[in-house]
PDB file of all heavy atoms in Angstrom:
ATOM      1  N   THR A 130     -11.080   8.500   7.659  1.00  0.00           N
ATOM      2  CA  THR A 130      -9.701   8.198   7.967  1.00  0.00           C
ATOM      3  C   THR A 130      -8.988   8.196   6.550  1.00  0.00           C
ATOM      4  O   THR A 130      -9.320   7.513   5.682  1.00  0.00           O
ATOM      5  CB  THR A 130      -9.454   6.817   8.584  1.00  0.00           C
ATOM      6  OG1 THR A 130     -10.252   6.764   9.777  1.00  0.00           O
ATOM      7  CG2 THR A 130      -7.999   6.591   8.858  1.00  0.00           C
ATOM      8  N   ILE A 131      -7.933   9.028   6.517  1.00  0.00           N
ATOM      9  CA  ILE A 131      -7.030   8.970   5.364  1.00  0.00           C
ATOM     10  C   ILE A 131      -5.830   8.063   5.777  1.00  0.00           C
ATOM     11  O   ILE A 131      -5.125   8.350   6.828  1.00  0.00           O
ATOM     12  CB  ILE A 131      -6.490  10.318   4.959  1.00  0.00           C
ATOM     13  CG1 ILE A 131      -7.652  11.270   4.729  1.00  0.00           C
ATOM     14  CG2 ILE A 131      -5.550  10.300   3.862  1.00  0.00           C
ATOM     15  CD1 ILE A 131      -7.271  12.694   4.718  1.00  0.00           C
ATOM     16  N   VAL A 132      -5.607   7.085   4.969  1.00  0.00           N
ATOM     17  CA  VAL A 132      -4.417   6.170   5.267  1.00  0.00           C
ATOM     18  C   VAL A 132      -3.464   6.525   4.123  1.00  0.00           C
ATOM     19  O   VAL A 132      -3.709   6.516   2.965  1.00  0.00           O
ATOM     20  CB  VAL A 132      -4.740   4.704   5.296  1.00  0.00           C
ATOM     21  CG1 VAL A 132      -3.599   3.863   5.218  1.00  0.00           C
ATOM     22  CG2 VAL A 132      -5.599   4.438   6.609  1.00  0.00           C
ATOM     23  N   ASN A 133      -2.149   6.783   4.479  1.00  0.00           N
ATOM     24  CA  ASN A 133      -1.169   7.082   3.570  1.00  0.00           C
ATOM     25  C   ASN A 133       0.038   6.233   3.541  1.00  0.00           C
ATOM     26  O   ASN A 133       0.097   5.331   4.506  1.00  0.00           O
ATOM     27  CB  ASN A 133      -0.728   8.627   3.506  1.00  0.00           C
ATOM     28  CG  ASN A 133       0.304   8.866   4.601  1.00  0.00           C
ATOM     29  OD1 ASN A 133       0.490   7.982   5.510  1.00  0.00           O
ATOM     30  ND2 ASN A 133       0.789  10.059   4.515  1.00  0.00           N
ATOM     31  N   VAL A 134       1.016   6.372   2.654  1.00  0.00           N
ATOM     32  CA  VAL A 134       2.357   5.747   2.817  1.00  0.00           C
ATOM     33  C   VAL A 134       3.268   6.897   3.151  1.00  0.00           C
ATOM     34  O   VAL A 134       3.520   7.755   2.310  1.00  0.00           O
ATOM     35  CB  VAL A 134       2.742   5.112   1.434  1.00  0.00           C
ATOM     36  CG1 VAL A 134       4.200   4.656   1.409  1.00  0.00           C
ATOM     37  CG2 VAL A 134       1.836   3.909   1.128  1.00  0.00           C
ATOM     38  N   HIS A 135       3.770   6.889   4.377  1.00  0.00           N
ATOM     39  CA  HIS A 135       4.534   7.990   4.920  1.00  0.00           C
ATOM     40  C   HIS A 135       6.017   7.524   5.124  1.00  0.00           C
ATOM     41  O   HIS A 135       6.298   6.404   5.402  1.00  0.00           O
ATOM     42  CB  HIS A 135       3.892   8.412   6.264  1.00  0.00           C
ATOM     43  CG  HIS A 135       4.079   9.835   6.650  1.00  0.00           C
ATOM     44  ND1 HIS A 135       3.092  10.823   6.348  1.00  0.00           N
ATOM     45  CD2 HIS A 135       5.083  10.440   7.345  1.00  0.00           C
ATOM     46  CE1 HIS A 135       3.599  11.957   6.770  1.00  0.00           C
ATOM     47  NE2 HIS A 135       4.733  11.812   7.357  1.00  0.00           N
ATOM     48  N   HIS A 136       6.921   8.550   5.045  1.00  0.00           N
ATOM     49  CA  HIS A 136       8.282   8.322   5.354  1.00  0.00           C
ATOM     50  C   HIS A 136       8.908   7.084   4.582  1.00  0.00           C
ATOM     51  O   HIS A 136       9.718   6.366   5.198  1.00  0.00           O
ATOM     52  CB  HIS A 136       8.456   8.091   6.886  1.00  0.00           C
ATOM     53  CG  HIS A 136       8.404   9.465   7.684  1.00  0.00           C
ATOM     54  ND1 HIS A 136       9.038  10.466   7.315  1.00  0.00           N
ATOM     55  CD2 HIS A 136       7.729   9.607   8.838  1.00  0.00           C
ATOM     56  CE1 HIS A 136       8.742  11.442   8.202  1.00  0.00           C
ATOM     57  NE2 HIS A 136       7.951  10.915   9.128  1.00  0.00           N
ATOM     58  N   TYR A 137       8.635   6.997   3.373  1.00  0.00           N
ATOM     59  CA  TYR A 137       9.340   5.920   2.575  1.00  0.00           C
ATOM     60  C   TYR A 137      10.573   6.569   2.096  1.00  0.00           C
ATOM     61  O   TYR A 137      10.690   6.921   0.888  1.00  0.00           O
ATOM     62  CB  TYR A 137       8.444   5.353   1.402  1.00  0.00           C
ATOM     63  CG  TYR A 137       8.992   4.034   0.922  1.00  0.00           C
ATOM     64  CD1 TYR A 137       8.171   3.325   0.042  1.00  0.00           C
ATOM     65  CD2 TYR A 137      10.286   3.660   1.103  1.00  0.00           C
ATOM     66  CE1 TYR A 137       8.695   2.094  -0.461  1.00  0.00           C
ATOM     67  CE2 TYR A 137      10.780   2.531   0.598  1.00  0.00           C
ATOM     68  CZ  TYR A 137      10.041   1.793  -0.224  1.00  0.00           C
ATOM     69  OH  TYR A 137      10.524   0.542  -0.783  1.00  0.00           O
ATOM     70  N   ASN A 138      11.570   6.812   2.958  1.00  0.00           N
ATOM     71  CA  ASN A 138      12.735   7.679   2.645  1.00  0.00           C
ATOM     72  C   ASN A 138      13.610   7.046   1.537  1.00  0.00           C
ATOM     73  O   ASN A 138      14.104   7.703   0.672  1.00  0.00           O
ATOM     74  CB  ASN A 138      13.622   7.787   3.839  1.00  0.00           C
ATOM     75  CG  ASN A 138      12.829   8.313   5.046  1.00  0.00           C
ATOM     76  OD1 ASN A 138      11.931   9.031   4.849  1.00  0.00           O
ATOM     77  ND2 ASN A 138      13.172   7.869   6.320  1.00  0.00           N
ATOM     78  N   GLU A 139      13.689   5.718   1.499  1.00  0.00           N
ATOM     79  CA  GLU A 139      14.563   5.033   0.552  1.00  0.00           C
ATOM     80  C   GLU A 139      14.036   5.306  -0.910  1.00  0.00           C
ATOM     81  O   GLU A 139      14.779   5.291  -1.850  1.00  0.00           O
ATOM     82  CB  GLU A 139      14.682   3.531   0.745  1.00  0.00           C
ATOM     83  CG  GLU A 139      15.129   3.163   2.158  1.00  0.00           C
ATOM     84  CD  GLU A 139      14.033   3.107   3.228  1.00  0.00           C
ATOM     85  OE1 GLU A 139      12.916   3.649   2.952  1.00  0.00           O
ATOM     86  OE2 GLU A 139      14.233   2.462   4.268  1.00  0.00           O
ATOM     87  N   LEU A 140      12.686   5.391  -1.070  1.00  0.00           N
ATOM     88  CA  LEU A 140      12.060   5.623  -2.374  1.00  0.00           C
ATOM     89  C   LEU A 140      12.599   6.906  -3.015  1.00  0.00           C
ATOM     90  O   LEU A 140      12.857   7.019  -4.207  1.00  0.00           O
ATOM     91  CB  LEU A 140      10.570   5.762  -2.243  1.00  0.00           C
ATOM     92  CG  LEU A 140       9.819   6.097  -3.494  1.00  0.00           C
ATOM     93  CD1 LEU A 140       9.824   5.016  -4.529  1.00  0.00           C
ATOM     94  CD2 LEU A 140       8.346   6.377  -3.072  1.00  0.00           C
ATOM     95  N   ASN A 141      12.870   8.024  -2.209  1.00  0.00           N
ATOM     96  CA  ASN A 141      13.238   9.277  -2.640  1.00  0.00           C
ATOM     97  C   ASN A 141      14.791   9.213  -3.020  1.00  0.00           C
ATOM     98  O   ASN A 141      15.233   9.874  -3.847  1.00  0.00           O
ATOM     99  CB  ASN A 141      13.046  10.253  -1.511  1.00  0.00           C
ATOM    100  CG  ASN A 141      11.629  10.516  -1.281  1.00  0.00           C
ATOM    101  OD1 ASN A 141      10.857  10.835  -2.069  1.00  0.00           O
ATOM    102  ND2 ASN A 141      11.195  10.178   0.012  1.00  0.00           N
TER     103      ASN A 141
END
Side-chain angles (χ1 to χ4, degrees):
T130 301
I131 301 164
V132 169
N133 79 347
V134 169
H135 208 92
H136 284 313
Y137 195 164
N138 307 329
E139 304 87 341
L140 174 69
N141 298 301

